[in-house]
Amino acid sequence: MTARLFPDDPQFAHASEELFVRTLRDQLPDDAAVFCNVRLSGRSQDREADVVVAWPGVGVAVVEVKGGSVSLQRGEWRQGGDGTDRVIHPVDQAVSCKYLLCDYLAEHPRWSAGRPRTAHLVALPATTLASDFMAPGLARWMAIDTTDIPHAAARIRAALDKVRDEPDPPSAEDVEALVDCLAGTAIPQQHLLAQLAEREAACDLLTRDQAKVLDLLASFPRVEIRGGAGSGKTWLAVEKARRLAADGQRVAIMCYSRGLAEFLKRRVETLPKRQRPGYVGTFHNLGIGWGVAPGSDDDSRYWEEFLPAAMVSLAAELPEGERFDAIVIDEGQDFAQSWWDAVLAALRDPDAGSLYVFSDEGQRIFARQGRPTVDLMPIPLNENLRNTKQIAGTFSSLAPEQMRIRGSSGVPVRFIQCSSEDAVEAADDVADALLGDGWPPESVALLTTHQRHPVQRERQEDGQDAYWETFWQDDEVFYGHVLGFKGLERPAVVLAVNGFRDEARAKEMLYVALSRARDLLVVCGDMDLIRRVGGEAVARRLLDSLAQTH
């Protein structure tokens, strides 16, 4: 029998105190918990409970421990040792800590069991009390002296059995909840949240450094900025649109995917009104807003041919105020050849209007092909800023150009070997474990490479708009497919490599998939498939991470 001890290595003022705690721990059952030096604060006082014992089926004991020589003289408790002699108040401290603990649990959101059976005791592990000892507020059965140490746990049980008018003792589940409240996810989660906030701030500062690119290109109206994953292209796209709007131009910022479009909208909403673009959304929704009849999601001909052609015709009839001085396109490699005529037609001056395109040829994961039909000045971005060095190193061999990795160092990428058929189940287990470790749900995404996760399919039954709303909810893990997640990121991504519908596009999809995590990446899948798709460099990186975790 050995109870759990929190923290693992507590500090003690006297050797006798440490001996008491270690001995007590060894006497308690495995499902009990011993907490040392628990800081408790109330409206008018701040106390530290020396020891709290949580014992399923028995109760919760708050024990004030006083080492050295302790005596009660003329109604005054005194503690001596090492040449000192001072007044102490062990009973008052024990009582105060007991009530502060009960108040703390009553207010804690993770505690729902009501007040547990609770008692306060005083332990004097280096002092021997008389057999007939009794003091105000401290009967002999509430005190543990040096003669009681060999059976300290039994003394605590007896004290909890004696207390009157107390509720029922806590169950095993209640003790686990108490562990959570005093030493569980609450504190580590705050630490984790602080780490995530610092990492996000560092990423944003690095990304803002890229603004110097826009400074140098301010006088050039037509530019294509090409950058690998994590290079800050989306941030630059929003920043360019903001600058153009601030100059008084009517601006559109658009992309292909719904998820990225919603992200752009929310980013733009934080800008001052005079700096907001006139249109933010998908290329296709711009045409539907002009009056093109909506089509079916399954009708590829509508999206690839009919709608763009209709947009060209409608653009010529638009009032001058509804067209744009400048257009900014994010993830431009997603645009089909037939769409560019509609893009240019949306400009007030198709021949000279500003056009900024942000693209990454390595992320061309859709079967369509297309390049802008006008000359654009190519500008490369060759720095990865938004992924940790470990994550960026995993996918760097898949990038179209060699990238300088400037992100901070983080934890190793984790790889879990399993079949493609078992990848989703393995990823579910990992996501659950991350939540158990204190990761906030809104920081975690579970992505698949082939069949959609059952939760994603269920959420999409309410429509795409409702589904993408879940990306912003702070109480759920986001479930998505790599195809729809391009341009987005999460601090933690669990990737289920559950196959590929089209292996001709599998390399590009793997590149996108591996680059969506900012701080933590866990890959679940079959190494033979990953090696065949991503090459030996990716496989070696993942196998190295597997070795580090064993």
Side-chain angles (χ1 to χ4, degrees), residues 206-215 217 225-227 231-244 253 264 267 328-330 356 358 379-381 385:
L206 282 174
T207 307
R208 288 173 187 273
D209 286 345
Q210 295 280 41
K212 61 182 181 290
V213 174
L214 300 181
D215 295 337
L217 299 173
I225 296 179
R226 303 170 182 172
S231 59
K233 297 186 302 298
T234 295
W235 187 92
L236 284 176
V238 174
E239 175 62 12
K240 184 59 183 179
R242 183 196 69 79
R243 293 185 181 193
L244 292 168
I253 179 170
L264 293 173
R267 285 289 297 270
V328 177
I329 294 176
D330 194 20
Y356 267 70
F358 296 80
I379 301 295
L381 296 178
L385 310 173

Side-chain angles (χ1 to χ4, degrees), residues 355-378:
L355 180 62
Y356 267 70
V357 179
F358 296 80
S359 64
D360 178 5
E361 288 298 313
Q363 298 190 56
R364 191 182 284 275
I365 60 178
F366 300 103
R368 71 179 75 92
Q369 296 292 322
R371 290 287 307 154
T373 54
V374 296
D375 291 333
L376 301 174
M377 176 187 293

Side-chain angles (χ1 to χ4, degrees), residues 8 17 21 23 73 112 121 181 240 311 337 344 355 494 547:
D8 294 332
E17 295 180 16
V21 169
T23 304
Q73 303 173 19
S112 59
L121 297 93
C181 293
K240 184 59 183 179
M311 289 176 67
Q337 192 74 27
L344 295 174
L355 180 62
V494 184

Side-chain angles (χ1 to χ4, degrees), residues 71-79 85-90:
S71 61
L72 182 61
Q73 303 173 19
R74 301 176 64 85
E76 189 174 67
W77 288 93
R78 304 192 72 88
Q79 182 182 41
D85 181 57
R86 62 192 183 94
V87 176
I88 58 175
H89 305 278

Side-chain angles (χ1 to χ4, degrees), residues 330-363:
D330 194 20
E331 301 290 349
Q333 76 280 350
D334 292 346
F335 278 42
Q337 192 74 27
S338 59
W339 302 0
W340 290 104
D341 287 345
V343 170
L344 295 174
L347 288 168
R348 288 172 176 166
D349 186 344
D351 296 323
S354 293
L355 180 62
Y356 267 70
V357 179
F358 296 80
S359 64
D360 178 5
E361 288 298 313
Q363 298 190 56

Side-chain angles (χ1 to χ4, degrees), residues 2 31 71 130 146 152 205 250 270 274 313 366 386 408 426 473 501:
T2 303
D31 57 356
S71 61
T146 188
L205 287 175
R250 187 166 194 267
T270 66
R274 69 178 190 86
S313 298
F366 300 103
R386 300 200 62 81
S408 61
Q473 293 174 358
R501 181 175 292 111

Side-chain angles (χ1 to χ4, degrees), residues 4-322:
R4 292 164 291 173
L5 180 64
F6 301 95
D8 294 332
D9 189 21
Q11 301 300 306
F12 300 97
H14 296 83
S16 60
E17 295 180 16
E18 181 172 2
L19 177 62
F20 165 70
V21 169
R22 302 293 181 187
T23 304
L24 174 62
R25 179 194 184 192
D26 292 342
Q27 296 171 1
L28 290 166
D30 296 343
D31 57 356
V34 178
F35 307 88
C36 297
N37 309 322
V38 179
R39 177 66 65 180
L40 299 165
S41 298
R43 292 181 176 86
S44 60
Q45 56 183 327
D46 184 42
R47 300 280 188 178
E48 185 176 276
D50 291 335
V51 174
V52 176
V53 177
W55 193 344
V58 177
V60 177
V62 177
V63 186
E64 182 68 22
V65 185
K66 296 298 182 185
S69 175
V70 178
S71 61
L72 182 61
Q73 303 173 19
R74 301 176 64 85
E76 189 174 67
W77 288 93
R78 304 192 72 88
Q79 182 182 41
D82 298 328
T84 64
D85 181 57
R86 62 192 183 94
V87 176
I88 58 175
H89 305 278
V91 179
D92 292 343
Q93 288 175 292
V95 172
S96 295
C97 287
K98 178 179 70 173
Y99 288 118
L100 283 172
L101 175 62
C102 291
D103 290 344
Y104 172 76
L105 292 176
E107 295 177 2
H108 200 291
R110 297 178 185 270
W111 182 263
S112 59
R115 177 175 172 171
R117 176 175 296 178
T118 312
H120 65 273
L121 297 93
V122 173
L124 311 172
T127 299
T128 301
L129 298 175
S131 59
D132 60 350
F133 170 85
M134 180 174 289
L138 190 70
R140 180 64 181 89
W141 58 269
M142 302 169 67
I144 299 173
D145 72 354
T146 188
T147 66
D148 298 321
I149 298 301
H151 44 271
R155 297 283 298 185
I156 289 175
R157 175 190 280 273
L160 285 163
D161 287 342
K162 278 181 176 291
V163 292
R164 299 176 179 177
D165 301 323
E166 282 289 322
D168 291 335
S171 65
E173 291 77 13
D174 295 337
V175 169
E176 293 310 307
L178 192 146
V179 169
D180 195 27
C181 293
L182 293 184
T185 59
I187 293 175
Q189 185 183 49
Q190 292 303 316
H191 180 59
L192 174 60
L193 290 175
Q195 285 184 323
L196 294 178
E198 285 292 336
R199 273 277 302 133
E200 184 173 8
C203 285
D204 285 347
L205 287 175
L206 282 174
T207 307
R208 288 173 187 273
D209 286 345
Q210 295 280 41
K212 61 182 181 290
V213 174
L214 300 181
D215 295 337
L216 295 172
L217 299 173
S219 61
F220 296 91
R222 296 197 165 182
V223 177
E224 181 179 11
I225 296 179
R226 303 170 182 172
S231 59
K233 297 186 302 298
T234 295
W235 187 92
L236 284 176
V238 174
E239 175 62 12
K240 184 59 183 179
R242 183 196 69 79
R243 293 185 181 193
L244 292 168
D247 286 341
Q249 299 190 51
R250 187 166 194 267
V251 183
I253 179 170
M254 63 181 75
C255 61
Y256 164 66
S257 69
R258 291 183 174 102
L260 181 56
E262 183 62 25
F263 175 81
L264 293 173
K265 288 178 183 177
R266 292 178 182 248
R267 285 289 297 270
V268 164
E269 286 174 357
T270 66
L271 300 174
K273 286 188 176 182
R274 69 178 190 86
Q275 297 178 11
R276 297 178 190 174
Y279 174 78
V280 184
T282 65
F283 163 77
H284 295 103
N285 273 348
L286 178 65
I288 292 172
W290 287 350
V292 181
S296 167
D297 282 352
D298 299 326
D299 186 356
S300 61
R301 185 176 178 183
Y302 168 86
W303 302 104
E304 303 293 335
E305 301 175 18
F306 174 79
L307 188 147
M311 289 176 67
V312 172
S313 298
L314 287 172
E317 303 172 4
L318 288 175
E320 187 75 7
E322 291 189 24

